[in-house]
Amino acid sequence: DHARTALFKTLNVQDVRESYRGAFSIIRVPGGLFARSLAALQNNPAIEHAQPNYTYRGHGFSGPPDDPLYPNQWNFEMLNVEQAWSHSTGEGVVVAVLDSGVHSGGRDGFGNRLLSGYNSFIRQEVFWHDNHWHGTHIAGTIAQETDNEIGVAGIAFDAEILPVKVLDRNLVGTTETAASGIRWATDNGADIINMSFGGDLLGDDSDLVLHEAVQYAYGHGVTLVASAGNSAEFHLFEPGVSYPAAYPEVIAVGAVTILKERAFYSNYGPDLDLVTPGGNSKVGIPQETFSAGRGTWFAAFGWDYRWKSGTSMACPHVSGTAALVKSLHPQWGPNDIKEALVETAEDLGDAGVDDEYGFGLVDAAGAVLWEIAQDE
């Protein structure tokens, strides 16, 4: 007991309690020290066995949800999202949406899962609301209120959304706003960071400040996801993946149509990791948002379910699926989550990984079951 007490003190254990009849002990350590503490316990000969206190949930949710417009969400069917919901709904995961902000209005909304956010332009934790429409649509794909008899569904509908305003009313941001937003989100509990924006840089370290922010988040166990870019139709030659998606620490996401073909606008190249539905001019991605530019900090106007297209719309499908995986495996880091996504993706285009489709089309059900499949 004395040795155990000394060890627990070294590990900054904050709480110790005994299980039924003392079969085992449950301890709590600071979140940032979890991995180090677990390794120390597992390697200590005085400890018979150490493991995380895993989460188990009843498989009570069975689809389809009762949202009346859910049958229009062809994008969810393509990714096998409904099958994934039998195993995970994103509970316990925080997804930061770095965008034009997120608005809490509308009929569908996010319940009580929309957290208080940050405005990178004024460097304050206020006025983070969307005044464009873009960020709200993105957040809806990730975690719109679901099974509430209203509108549409979200992929990880039990996850929390952390809004970070890094783009202005014209959907423009800077190195300062993006890098600050990434760092703030990391320091404020983000597990996943969605970045449906990008810029054309000259190389990996053309924007060293942004890359260092990405590395900071990645080093703190955050999974970063970004859109590949929408400029393919304007390039005579291969339109490379834009940054920050092209950074090696970030999962780069391209867009496909309802026919599982690369969308004409979707950038591609060797840095592309995955594709998901992004739609086109004929069939887009339906989600709740408001009229263009009609958002303020206190209200937004012209709410409706709008069909939008772009790699911006493809990106949150990966972030939502990553949240489903993270919820089942809270100890997994960004490499583990990416591996689950790429190893279970549906191969499109040329056999194996290729420049137009990366590792392929995300399979949400396959990703959440990946560890189970590996154990069989």
Side-chain angles (χ1 to χ4, degrees), residues 20 28 31 59 109 173 187 202 204 206 227 242 263 268 272 328 372:
Y20 175 67
R28 183 167 60 89
H59 293 162
D187 291 344
L202 298 176
D204 280 5
S206 297
S227 50
S242 68
Y268 56 93
L272 185 68
L328 287 176
I372 296 173

Side-chain angles (χ1 to χ4, degrees), residues 79 90 93-98 138 141-143 155-156 159 161 191-196 223-227 251 253 274 276 312-326 337 341 362:
L79 300 187
V93 178
V94 176
V95 183
V97 177
L98 272 63
I138 299 302
T141 296
I142 297 170
I155 293 174
I161 292 292
D191 297 300
I192 317 288
I193 291 180
N194 187 93
M195 299 178 287
S196 289
T223 299
L224 300 108
V225 186
S227 50
I251 299 174
V253 186
L274 294 162
T276 62
S312 280
M313 281 69 240
C315 184
H317 289 84
V318 174
S319 296
T321 303
L324 298 181
V325 175
K326 181 71 172 179
I337 292 174
L341 292 167
V362 167

Side-chain angles (χ1 to χ4, degrees), residues 87-103:
H87 305 277
S88 177
T89 56
E91 183 180 357
V93 178
V94 176
V95 183
V97 177
L98 272 63
D99 215 283
S100 56
V102 180
H103 216 289

Side-chain angles (χ1 to χ4, degrees), residues 4 10 25 47 78 87 117 122 165 234 243 247 262 265 298 309 318 321 335 345 355:
R4 190 180 78 159
T10 301
S25 300
I47 304 298
M78 184 180 287
H87 305 277
I122 60 174
K165 190 176 184 65
F234 303 115
Y243 290 88
Y247 291 130
R262 181 181 66 83
Y265 53 78
F298 60 87
S309 301
V318 174
T321 303
N335 287 342
D355 286 359

Side-chain angles (χ1 to χ4, degrees), residues 211-228:
H211 196 183
E212 287 181 344
V214 164
Q215 292 171 325
Y216 175 78
Y218 180 81
H220 283 77
V222 178
T223 299
L224 300 108
V225 186
S227 50

